[in-house]
Amino acid sequence: QVGAGVSDVEIYNNSVYNYGTQNGAEQNGGVQLGVGTSARFYNNLIKNGTGPALAIQGIGNEYIYNNVFVNPGAGGAITINTRPTPLSTDIVNKGYLGGVYLINNTFVSAATGAVIEYVNSAPGNVMYNNLVVGSATKWDNTYAYTDWKKSNNVVVPVLANAKFANSAADDYHLLSGSPAIDAGRDVRSEERRVGKECR
């Protein structure tokens, strides 16, 4: 968990397996971007847990891209509950820094949902180019009234039809013929914001 990290927070190139083994209430998640945090979370693999793989409670400008979430527990792969800074005297400006950007992530066997939103009034949220495989029929549990832009998210109900190279060995590269190949949108404008490659 990262708390009150208002800038320059990057979490990347990690593999997290079998998290939350004791399944304690509010303590069973994989990674948490805690209250007061703005972060980039990318190139991570989180697999097998009892709670959410990634919990977002930050202050916005949360960039979540190029990650693989496999078999998360109760609460889904990603839970979103961003909260603005409450005081004008806080280290960052009062309010939100921006939205939540979910780009080019892969969700596999997310039985309770890939994205679950609880409280999120931040403007400018984006959900582009995500691949959802073998997961809950209602994989997108964001609110209709929240400010989201969504497009080019690919849903494949059956794992074998996604044509991963070798999911049993955690190789989620796509083989020829996968329905996700060439199905994404151009996210270069988002890359300029992130300053990292989202492809």
Side-chain angles (χ1 to χ4, degrees):
Q1 177 178 341
V2 179
V6 299
S7 64
D8 299 325
V9 175
E10 297 192 23
I11 301 171
Y12 59 95
N13 295 346
N14 299 286
S15 296
V16 179
Y17 294 90
N18 304 319
Y19 60 87
T21 55
Q22 295 188 37
N23 200 18
E26 309 299 327
Q27 300 295 323
N28 59 354
V31 176
Q32 181 170 319
L33 307 181
V35 175
T37 297
S38 178
R40 294 172 178 169
F41 185 86
Y42 58 95
N43 298 350
N44 299 288
L45 167 66
I46 305 184
K47 181 177 181 179
N48 295 338
T50 58
L54 174 64
I56 302 173
Q57 294 180 327
I59 50 179
N61 275 358
E62 314 294 347
Y63 291 92
I64 315 301
Y65 56 97
N66 298 353
N67 302 287
V68 179
F69 303 95
V70 182
N71 194 31
I78 297 177
T79 61
I80 301 172
N81 186 359
T82 55
R83 307 172 187 185
T85 53
L87 303 174
S88 59
T89 54
D90 282 351
I91 195 169
V92 295
N93 293 333
K94 183 178 180 181
Y96 290 104
L97 296 184
V100 175
Y101 303 87
L102 305 178
I103 302 173
N104 292 353
N105 299 288
T106 298
F107 302 91
V108 180
S109 301
T112 58
V115 182
I116 299 177
E117 185 175 27
Y118 292 101
V119 178
N120 179 23
S121 301
N125 303 285
V126 163
M127 191 186 300
Y128 296 152
N129 300 354
N130 297 286
L131 174 59
V132 182
V133 178
S135 297
T137 302
K138 189 181 179 185
W139 65 270
D140 176 5
N141 296 275
T142 55
Y143 296 130
Y145 58 79
T146 311
D147 178 15
W148 282 95
K149 293 180 181 177
K150 305 174 184 179
S151 76
N152 297 80
N153 298 294
V154 176
V155 178
V156 181
V158 179
L159 177 64
N161 294 343
K163 296 192 176 180
F164 291 127
N166 187 351
S167 60
D170 293 333
D171 184 349
Y172 296 95
H173 291 91
L174 301 176
L175 298 177
S176 176
S178 170
I181 292 177
D182 295 328
R185 62 176 285 159
D186 188 333
V187 293
R188 282 177 291 185
S189 62
E190 306 303 329
E191 286 181 5
R192 284 193 286 271
R193 292 186 194 178
V194 178
K196 302 284 182 179
E197 186 176 279
C198 291
R199 284 166 281 181

